Each structure stands twice: as structure tokens, then as C-alpha cells.
Amino acid sequence: MIKSSELILNPDGSVYHINLKPEQVANDIIFVGDQNRVEKITQYFDSIEYSTQKREFKTQTGIYKGKRISVISTGIGPDNIDIVMNELDALVNVDLETRTIKEELTSLNIIRIGTSGSLQADIPIDSFVMSKYGLGLDNMLRSYLIEEISEKDIEDAFISQTDWDLRKGKPYVIACSETLENKLESDKIFKGFTGTAGGFYGPQGRVIRLNIQDPELNSKMDAFNFNGIKMTNLEMETAAIYGLGKLLGHQCLSLNAIIANRANGTFSENPYKAVDELIEYTLNCLAK
């Protein structure tokens, strides 16, 4: 039996942080970072059956073209992903009354929708990027046993090509779900490595008042190449989602609308349109 200190429940029986009960979450789930983006997706739904919010974790579950979908805001960072992924898994794979793991496990489909800037000149603004791999720079996932799911050859190549300082921890690489990749790929989508940082400023090479350990790291990551696959973008969630999803048996995919191109200094004339197009594209793929 799982101790109450390990899996915390609210007085109404919902899981502690995301404030959900098993019947309130769908098997097809869209993650967003910003709680205000949840309704930007559910505005397309035919109906909404349930809404809740606790802290930055907002959920709406409803129907889109006959498909039941939940949209959940995770907030920012791998630490929040650790909370959301573990609590979602508990909802479907743990009997919350007996606190025992179910004999028959459920696999969720989880797609993250975000916005990002491209690191490569040949990935134009207003296009979509699919994270073929999540490249984790954050260390959170190293608390788990990940050797059987991580891509060691790519990790070693990244460490070598970027002259990575292992005092910061060892980067990890996790592949996306091939099932969801096949379901959502198209000619408009570019694929590559998405770097997942453990912070927004120093960990992503930004300098305000503090010097950083490797001022050249961003340019080294831009140049990273493994068998023709390059870094496409840098954010704070994807690799953590991929790693925990793979460990827990869920299908995970991350998509970003490219609203800026750092390599050539361009920015989308209508970034909201690009995001809306990605939302509708994702919803329609899920509803097929």
C-alpha cells in the first residue's frame, strides 16, 4: 500500500496538487504552460464537462468532435512536470481508495503545445517544431532510474561536442512517442532536439548581473549535430515529460509554434495566429 505521505490526497479524495479525481481526466491530454492558455484551447470544444484550478494547475475536460480531451496547465519547469506527470499517472494507475497499484495499467496520450524561438536559420517563423528528442539539461529526471530509456550515444555526443561541464550534472536524451509522432507529423512540421533547461536565465545563457559558467554554450548547442539531427529550440519542460512518460508507460509528444528565429533575427508578424493554427492542427489530429 502506498503511504499517505507519498501520495497526498485532498479531503475530497482528489490528488493534491492538480486537484483531480480519476473520472475528471480524459485519456487524451494537452499540456500548456500558462494557465491562461487552457481556455485558448477549450474555446474550440463542443462542450466542457469539468473545470478546476489549484495554484498554477488548471484543468478543463470536454468534448471536441466526439473526442474527450483534457487540457492541463503545468506551470513552468521540470519540477512542475514531476508533479503533474506523477499525479496524472496516479489518477489512472493507482486505486486511490486502497492506495494500491492497479493490475491493469492505462497509457495516456499527452501532447504539449508551446511557443518557442527557432535556433536554426532554416526553420522559418510560423512553422511547427516537433521534438523528436528531449535533451534534458535540468537533472530532475536523474532522480529516477533512466538508463534503460535514455539515448546514451546521443548524450555522449552532446557532452563531447559542447564540452559540457559534468559538475552541472549529466544531460539526458529521451525519444518522443513514435505512435504520436506518426499521428501528428506533416510537411509543415520540422523535427529535432528540444533542449530542456532547469531555469530561464543562466541555464539558458542569459546574463543580467551574474556571469555564467559557459558563455559560449548556446552557440555550441546551436551547432550540435547527431546524424543530421540538430537542436531546434530551448525551453523548460519537454525532456522531463518524455522521460517520466516513458518510465510510466504513457505516449508523449511536444509541439511548438515557432514565433521567432534567433539565427536570423526575425519575429512573427502575427504570433497569436501561429499558436491558434497549432492548436487547431493538434485538436484535429487527436479527433481523427
Side-chain angles (χ1 to χ4, degrees), residues 21 36 51-52 61 66 84 91 99 158 161 210 217 250 286:
K21 297 179 181 179
N36 294 321
S51 298
T52 188
T61 296
V84 175
L91 284 176
R99 292 182 169 276
F158 179 81
Q161 290 185 36
L210 298 175
L217 180 60
H250 305 300
L286 282 175

Side-chain angles (χ1 to χ4, degrees), residues 68-82:
R68 188 169 184 254
I69 300 172
S70 292
V71 184
I72 302 175
S73 63
T74 65
I76 299 173
D79 50 345
N80 275 19
I81 296 302
D82 185 54

Side-chain angles (χ1 to χ4, degrees), residues 17-90:
H17 293 93
I18 61 175
N19 207 41
L20 290 169
K21 297 179 181 179
E23 66 272 15
Q24 295 164 345
V25 66
N27 275 27
D28 292 278
I29 299 169
I30 294 174
F31 280 176
V32 293
D34 183 359
Q35 56 198 347
N36 294 321
R37 194 171 283 169
V38 171
E39 291 181 353
K40 291 185 182 295
I41 296 176
T42 61
Q43 67 177 329
Y44 296 100
F45 283 16
D46 303 313
S47 61
I48 296 173
E49 67 182 61
Y50 185 75
S51 298
T52 188
Q53 181 168 0
K54 184 178 179 182
R55 303 182 187 182
E56 62 266 53
F57 308 112
K58 180 174 182 176
T59 300
Q60 290 193 327
T61 296
I63 303 296
Y64 177 81
K65 294 185 178 179
K67 171 72 74 172
R68 188 169 184 254
I69 300 172
S70 292
V71 184
I72 302 175
S73 63
T74 65
I76 299 173
D79 50 345
N80 275 19
I81 296 302
D82 185 54
I83 290 171
V84 175
M85 291 294 291
N86 277 288
E87 292 191 359
L88 270 179
D89 181 76

Side-chain angles (χ1 to χ4, degrees), residues 62-194:
I63 303 296
Y64 177 81
K65 294 185 178 179
K67 171 72 74 172
R68 188 169 184 254
I69 300 172
S70 292
V71 184
I72 302 175
S73 63
T74 65
I76 299 173
D79 50 345
N80 275 19
I81 296 302
D82 185 54
I83 290 171
V84 175
M85 291 294 291
N86 277 288
E87 292 191 359
L88 270 179
D89 181 76
L91 284 176
V92 297
N93 289 322
V94 175
D95 185 318
L96 299 183
E97 292 186 3
T98 64
R99 292 182 169 276
T100 56
I101 298 172
K102 295 178 180 179
E103 290 187 7
E104 186 173 335
L105 299 179
T106 296
S107 178
L108 300 170
N109 295 317
I110 299 170
I111 299 174
R112 180 180 187 274
I113 294 179
T115 57
S116 192
S118 168
L119 303 181
Q120 305 296 335
D122 60 351
I123 300 178
I125 53 174
D126 301 325
S127 63
F128 304 155
V129 159
M130 177 185 290
S131 305
K132 176 75 173 177
Y133 296 94
L135 199 162
L137 312 174
D138 57 280
N139 285 328
M140 184 279 291
L141 203 67
R142 290 285 177 192
S143 294
Y144 299 93
L145 302 173
I146 67 170
E147 284 71 21
E148 292 187 4
I149 64 162
S150 61
E151 306 286 339
K152 187 178 183 303
D153 290 347
I154 303 176
E155 293 169 2
D156 291 343
F158 179 81
I159 291 167
S160 174
Q161 290 185 36
T162 62
D163 192 26
W164 181 265
D165 189 339
L166 289 174
R167 290 177 298 177
K168 295 189 294 186
K170 185 178 181 181
Y172 61 91
V173 178
I174 312 291
C176 72
S177 159
E178 290 187 9
T179 300
L180 291 180
E181 178 185 6
N182 294 334
K183 189 177 180 70
L184 278 95
E185 65 183 354
S186 75
D187 293 339
K188 189 173 184 178
I189 287 179
F190 293 80
K191 299 179 185 180
F193 294 104
T194 291

Side-chain angles (χ1 to χ4, degrees), residues 114-131 188-195 204 206 218-219 221-223 230-235 255-268 271 274:
T115 57
S116 192
S118 168
L119 303 181
Q120 305 296 335
D122 60 351
I123 300 178
I125 53 174
D126 301 325
S127 63
F128 304 155
V129 159
M130 177 185 290
S131 305
K188 189 173 184 178
I189 287 179
F190 293 80
K191 299 179 185 180
F193 294 104
T194 291
Q204 293 191 37
R206 293 182 173 93
N218 276 21
S219 61
M221 290 196 295
D222 293 353
K230 298 179 181 180
M231 292 277 289
T232 54
N233 59 317
L234 188 62
E235 45 85 90
L255 300 172
N256 274 272
I258 297 301
I259 61 173
N261 186 297
R262 195 178 77 185
N264 55 35
T266 54
F267 191 84
S268 175

Side-chain angles (χ1 to χ4, degrees), residues 193-209:
F193 294 104
T194 291
T196 295
F200 183 76
Y201 289 96
Q204 293 191 37
R206 293 182 173 93
V207 175
I208 299 177
R209 288 206 311 122

